[in-house]
């Protein structure tokens, strides 16, 4: 299966700063979670904060839109993701002045994709797969 992922569109400095904050939160929360002298509810809450920080790192550095042979996978909040088969996509609109695409589904629903790096390449790949069904 051929899959091409696209990361969030973000400048390098804010990406690195957010990464540092998330890593710091994950390390501190993990150390509080394994500390034996804290209350149980505090250790559980710390473990949840550590997991949320790691999920934030995954969303920040991983692909949020994946173009696959069988459909388009959109992942806004990890691990929550949605796969849209190509036959359900009716049209793809470029929103001028912004860094995202809007997808219209056959059901009439509209889906705004998150802003990604290489937006024009994503648009070309999506149109290629969508038009391949018409042929």
């Amino acid at each position: 299966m051929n899959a091409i992922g696209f990361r969030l569109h973000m400048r390098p400095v804010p990406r690195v700063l957010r990464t540092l904050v998330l890593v710091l939160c994950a390390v501190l929360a993990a150390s509080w979670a394994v500390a034996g002298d804290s209350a149980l509810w505090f250790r559980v809450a710390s473990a949840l904060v550590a997991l949320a920080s790691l999920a934030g790192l995954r969303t920040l550095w991983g692909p949020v839109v994946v173009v696959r042979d069988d459909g388009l996978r959109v992942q806004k909040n990890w691990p929550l993701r949605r796969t849209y088969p190509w036959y359900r996509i009716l049209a793809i609109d470029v929103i001028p002045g912004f860094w995202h695409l809007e997808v219209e589904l056959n059901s009439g629903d509209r889906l705004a994709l998150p802003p990604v790096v290489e937006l024009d390449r994503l648009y070309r790949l999506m149109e290629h797969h969508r038009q391949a069904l018409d042929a």
Side-chain angles (χ1 to χ4, degrees):
M1 179 180 293
N2 189 13
I4 300 171
F6 295 89
R7 289 190 327 184
L8 282 174
H9 177 75
M10 190 178 295
R11 293 187 183 127
V13 173
R15 187 183 301 270
V16 169
L17 289 176
R18 289 178 182 170
T19 300
L20 292 175
V21 168
L22 287 171
V23 167
L24 180 65
C25 288
V27 168
L28 286 175
S31 67
W32 293 336
V34 297
D37 57 348
S38 301
L40 178 63
W41 69 268
F42 184 75
R43 291 172 46 196
V44 170
S46 298
L48 290 175
V49 168
L51 290 175
S53 298
L54 294 175
L57 284 171
R58 168 65 177 86
T59 302
L60 189 63
W61 286 97
V64 292
V65 176
V66 179
V67 176
R68 302 180 336 169
D69 291 336
D70 60 344
L72 179 71
R73 177 174 279 179
V74 180
Q75 183 167 322
K76 289 186 179 180
N77 300 316
W78 192 85
L80 304 175
R81 61 181 175 236
R82 185 78 190 251
T83 301
Y84 298 96
W86 293 116
Y87 65 85
R88 289 194 55 211
I89 296 176
L90 180 65
I92 303 165
D93 300 325
V94 178
I95 306 301
F98 297 99
W99 284 94
H100 70 274
L101 298 174
E102 192 168 276
V103 176
E104 184 177 352
L105 302 176
N106 288 337
S107 62
D109 294 336
R110 295 186 77 78
L111 169 71
L113 298 180
V116 295
V117 178
E118 298 183 79
L119 184 68
D120 53 344
R121 182 174 175 220
L122 172 63
Y123 178 74
R124 284 193 313 268
L125 281 170
M126 288 174 61
E127 278 296 323
H128 168 73
H129 283 286
R130 192 181 68 78
Q131 290 177 357
L133 293 176
D134 295 338

